Amino acid sequence: MTAARPLSDHWDGRVFRNPHSSTVKTLRDVWRWRRMAAPESWPARVEDPPQPAPARVGPGRIAATFIGHATFLVQIGGLCVLFDPIWSARASPLRFAGPKRARAPGQPLEALPGVDLLLVSHCHYDHLDLPTLRAVRRRWKPPAATGLGNARHLAKAGIGGARELDWWEEARFGPLRVTYVPAQHFSARTPWDRNRALWGGFVVQAEDGASVYFAGDSGWCPHFAEIGARFPRLDIALLPIGAYEPRWFMRTQHMDPGEAVRAHLALGARRSLGMHFGTFAGLTDEAIDAPEAALAAARGRHGVPAEAFATLPFGATLDVEATGG
């Protein structure tokens, strides 16, 4: 399907690529990281205080519930949108190996007030989790959208007909307009399919003027200013702040908290919320609490108020009024 598409700055007719900075790592790079790694130890288990289950909110309000890692339920335009859901114990194709949860999902799947739309940013196992997708399909059967080349993965979970989008392409789902936007990252689920599917984020806009940006995974790059220019009234930006150490290895594909603050400023978002941290041990070398501490320091350096870019407790919901454009 992707092979028939016209060539572009991110598609060469065979694989997708990043126009600003390459994220390609060799086997030697991977071996060097694993050989030289000095990961901070994580607790075996973190018990977070329980949070109230999210209630349905209507048009005119935005409610963002942080489940953990990059999983958010966002209510916008009166609909429930689920981003990159993973409730599994491991971010892995294997049940007995791979990055393991240090904390439970902030809300059980059955506590959600519904899922009217499913959005999957890319095909990495910590973002596209087949057991969770099967559970979502069984309970709600929502329509889905994703990047080019990823629908085949969703189909393995029984989610057929997922809408595939290229960067800057949009689709309508009832009162919502969804635009797939660029990110600087890569894709793979096996050693043989690297960059055969596209990665990106989403901007979701409602008829009441509300707008939310979900970044997926990305390194720092000019895409954030480009997104901010095209969508100048973002109510909430959901930005990754973790999985950034060691910098020599992670820099091009994962922002650190300082770069996430720069992304917040480049986007011009009304508020930003941090994600992609503190959940799966083994994805990165930094300590479990390092991203939030570094985010606070970066806000201070850039003069960004705490309420403008924060993190939510796991399972908590931020409910705000939509600006109406």
Side-chain angles (χ1 to χ4, degrees), residues 204-240:
V204 181
Q205 298 169 287
E207 292 176 348
D208 60 15
S211 59
V212 170
Y213 165 55
F214 174 82
D217 267 349
S218 185
W220 164 255
C221 62
H223 290 319
F224 296 107
E226 296 163 3
I227 293 164
R230 294 202 188 202
F231 301 96
R233 294 180 179 87
L234 293 170
D235 286 293
I236 296 177
L238 306 176
L239 298 175

Side-chain angles (χ1 to χ4, degrees), residues 32-54:
R32 176 187 168 199
W33 174 32
R34 300 321 303 170
R35 181 171 54 86
M36 299 177 60
E40 298 287 343
S41 62
W42 279 38
R45 194 69 173 174
V46 175
E47 297 296 336
D48 294 303
Q51 299 289 333

Side-chain angles (χ1 to χ4, degrees), residues 72-224:
F72 264 91
L73 180 79
V74 174
Q75 298 187 59
I76 179 172
L79 298 185
C80 293
V81 183
L82 186 59
F83 292 92
D84 287 7
I86 177 168
W87 266 259
S88 292
R90 293 185 184 272
S92 169
L94 305 173
R95 294 184 179 181
F96 56 86
K100 186 178 181 180
R101 278 189 178 275
R103 61 201 337 145
Q107 295 286 346
L109 192 65
E110 58 270 20
L112 304 187
V115 175
D116 303 306
L117 177 62
L118 170 66
L119 299 179
V120 177
S121 65
H122 65 293
C123 69
H124 283 152
Y125 286 96
D126 56 326
H127 294 258
L128 194 160
D129 178 62
L130 293 179
T132 299
L133 293 178
R134 292 187 186 103
V136 169
R137 175 187 57 81
R138 285 193 298 266
R139 184 174 288 270
W140 293 289
K141 298 180 174 61
T146 188
L148 294 174
N150 289 302
R152 62 192 175 95
H153 300 303
L154 274 67
K156 295 174 184 176
I159 299 173
R163 179 71 183 272
E164 288 191 343
L165 300 172
D166 197 356
W167 288 351
W168 305 118
E169 276 194 304
E170 64 180 53
R172 292 298 301 238
F173 295 92
L176 301 182
R177 181 171 64 186
V178 175
T179 306
Y180 193 59
V181 294
Q184 184 168 286
H185 200 56
F186 68 102
S187 67
R189 284 180 80 82
T190 74
W192 305 281
D193 67 344
R194 186 179 179 96
N195 294 350
R196 298 283 182 170
L198 189 54
W199 51 90
F202 297 96
V203 172
V204 181
Q205 298 169 287
E207 292 176 348
D208 60 15
S211 59
V212 170
Y213 165 55
F214 174 82
D217 267 349
S218 185
W220 164 255
C221 62
H223 290 319
F224 296 107

